[in-house]
Amino acid sequence: MSPDESGATGRAETTGTAPTSGSAPSSTRPVIDPFASRSEPGAFGRMLASELLLVLGRRRNQLLVALVAAVPILLGVVLWVVNDSAYAGQGPGFISRVSENGLFLVITSLFMCLPFLLPLVVSVASGDAVAGEAGAGTLRYLLLVPVRRGQLLLVKALGALVQVMLAVLILAAVAFLTGGILFGFGDLTLLSGQSVGVGAGIGRMLGVTAYVAMSLTGLIALGLFFSTLTEVPIGAMAATLVATIVSTVLDSIPQLSTIHPGLLTHHWFDFAEFLRFSVSSDVIWQGVWVQAAWVAIFGSLAWARFTTADITS
């Protein structure tokens, strides 16, 4: 068998099409290029389902989500233990108000996890998305699936997004249950001193949770871009975390106030707007548009890099 015939036969077997008797000679037989742009109906959905099962079933990811979920439990138990001591009512931010209303445990837990722990989840989820496959040598085999490279990248992005959103939701849900069990629920006292009922307070907690989840989308896109640049996932994870730290540092320098509104982390704590009697939609939308800009820019860069890169591993 000539090299051309063996190569064509190997590609046919790889894509699940075996040569049949009476087929055209190898010189006229169409060659199946595994790296060509093509898409088979239903392949995208199957790949997405497989990716979600892989992401959610990976022990490392489960351990990381469990670590996030442990924060409100640990915080709630500590505050419950010291509730009748001399330390009751003390603490920064919303911590001093948790013992008055369990709903504040949701805000406090998100407030404490947002600067580092949640970005850590994002860096692991997005930094490993493409670089992990490349480092393990499985990325080129994924390209044999009949989906376009852009669709494969979208699958990886959605997998990272689901993992991060799930971590935020579990964090908020565990904080809600822990706060209700240990401290109970009551009317929510807002920053302006006015109070709203329990139902309205729960609605505002949902708004806070949704805003925090939205605030991480720009970092996911940035981490995905870093992941397309390397075959070493730990490097992409580290770069994503460093970008978060750099943005935070730049945001704390008054001389750079001109660029503050466009920084990745500048609007992260604007979820406090949901604790005002009249929520300013302008403030909320500023945060949304900044994250949308980061997603658009670094999502496009990730797509441009991934769809044109020479995949060798």
Side-chain angles (χ1 to χ4, degrees):
M1 181 181 293
S2 67
D4 290 341
E5 290 175 331
S6 61
T9 302
R11 283 187 289 267
E13 290 174 352
T14 303
T15 54
T17 57
T20 59
S21 58
S23 59
S26 59
S27 58
T28 59
R29 184 184 305 157
V31 176
I32 300 175
D33 182 2
F35 301 104
S37 297
R38 78 247 188 253
S39 180
E40 181 180 290
F44 177 81
R46 292 193 298 270
M47 174 172 276
L48 178 59
S50 176
E51 178 69 15
L52 293 180
L53 288 175
L54 177 65
V55 167
L56 299 180
R58 189 172 288 163
R59 293 295 180 86
R60 179 194 63 195
N61 297 340
Q62 294 174 351
L63 181 61
L64 193 56
V65 172
L67 177 64
V68 171
V71 171
I73 297 176
L74 178 62
L75 179 61
V77 169
V78 169
L79 293 177
W80 182 76
V81 169
V82 302
N83 191 34
D84 296 327
S85 69
Y87 297 100
Q90 299 183 19
F94 303 104
I95 295 181
S96 61
R97 307 179 69 174
V98 172
S99 59
E100 303 171 4
N101 193 333
L103 290 176
F104 277 106
L105 186 59
V106 177
I107 305 172
T108 303
S109 299
L110 291 170
F111 178 80
M112 295 183 66
C113 292
L114 188 54
F116 178 75
L117 195 53
L118 287 178
L120 177 62
V121 175
V122 174
S123 67
V124 172
S126 59
D128 186 62
V130 177
E133 299 284 1
T138 56
L139 183 58
R140 58 182 174 181
Y141 298 107
L142 285 178
L143 294 176
L144 297 176
V145 179
V147 296
R148 296 182 176 88
R149 284 194 182 192
Q151 291 178 309
L152 175 57
L153 183 65
L154 179 59
V155 165
K156 290 297 183 179
L158 291 176
L161 179 66
V162 168
Q163 183 180 345
V164 173
M165 298 301 106
L166 186 63
V168 175
L169 289 175
I170 290 177
L171 171 63
V174 172
F176 179 81
L177 293 175
T178 304
I181 292 172
L182 297 179
F183 306 106
F185 299 136
D187 291 347
L188 182 67
T189 303
L190 304 176
L191 296 177
S192 58
Q194 299 166 301
S195 298
V196 296
V198 176
I202 293 175
R204 288 175 182 261
M205 294 305 102
L206 292 175
V208 170
T209 304
Y211 186 86
V212 170
M214 180 279 305
S215 297
L216 297 172
T217 54
L219 188 60
I220 293 174
L222 181 61
L224 190 65
F225 169 64
F226 287 144
S227 188
T228 63
L229 299 178
T230 179
E231 296 181 359
V232 183
I234 191 66
M237 297 176 194
T240 306
L241 270 181
V242 169
T244 306
I245 297 172
V246 169
S247 178
T248 303
V249 171
L250 293 178
D251 197 33
S252 64
I253 302 177
Q255 291 81 354
L256 299 178
S257 59
T258 303
I259 67 172
H260 286 175
L263 291 176
L264 184 64
T265 59
H266 180 73
H267 298 280
W268 274 10
F269 295 101
D270 285 352
F271 64 77
E273 193 65 28
F274 288 96
L275 297 180
R276 303 185 188 279
F277 187 75
S278 297
V279 180
S280 174
S281 59
D282 291 339
V283 174
I284 300 301
W285 278 110
Q286 284 178 7
V288 171
W289 288 121
V290 168
Q291 295 301 317
W294 279 79
V295 169
I297 294 172
F298 285 97
S300 299
L301 290 175
W303 178 86
R305 165 66 181 176
F306 187 70
T307 54
T308 59
D310 182 16
I311 306 298
T312 58
S313 61

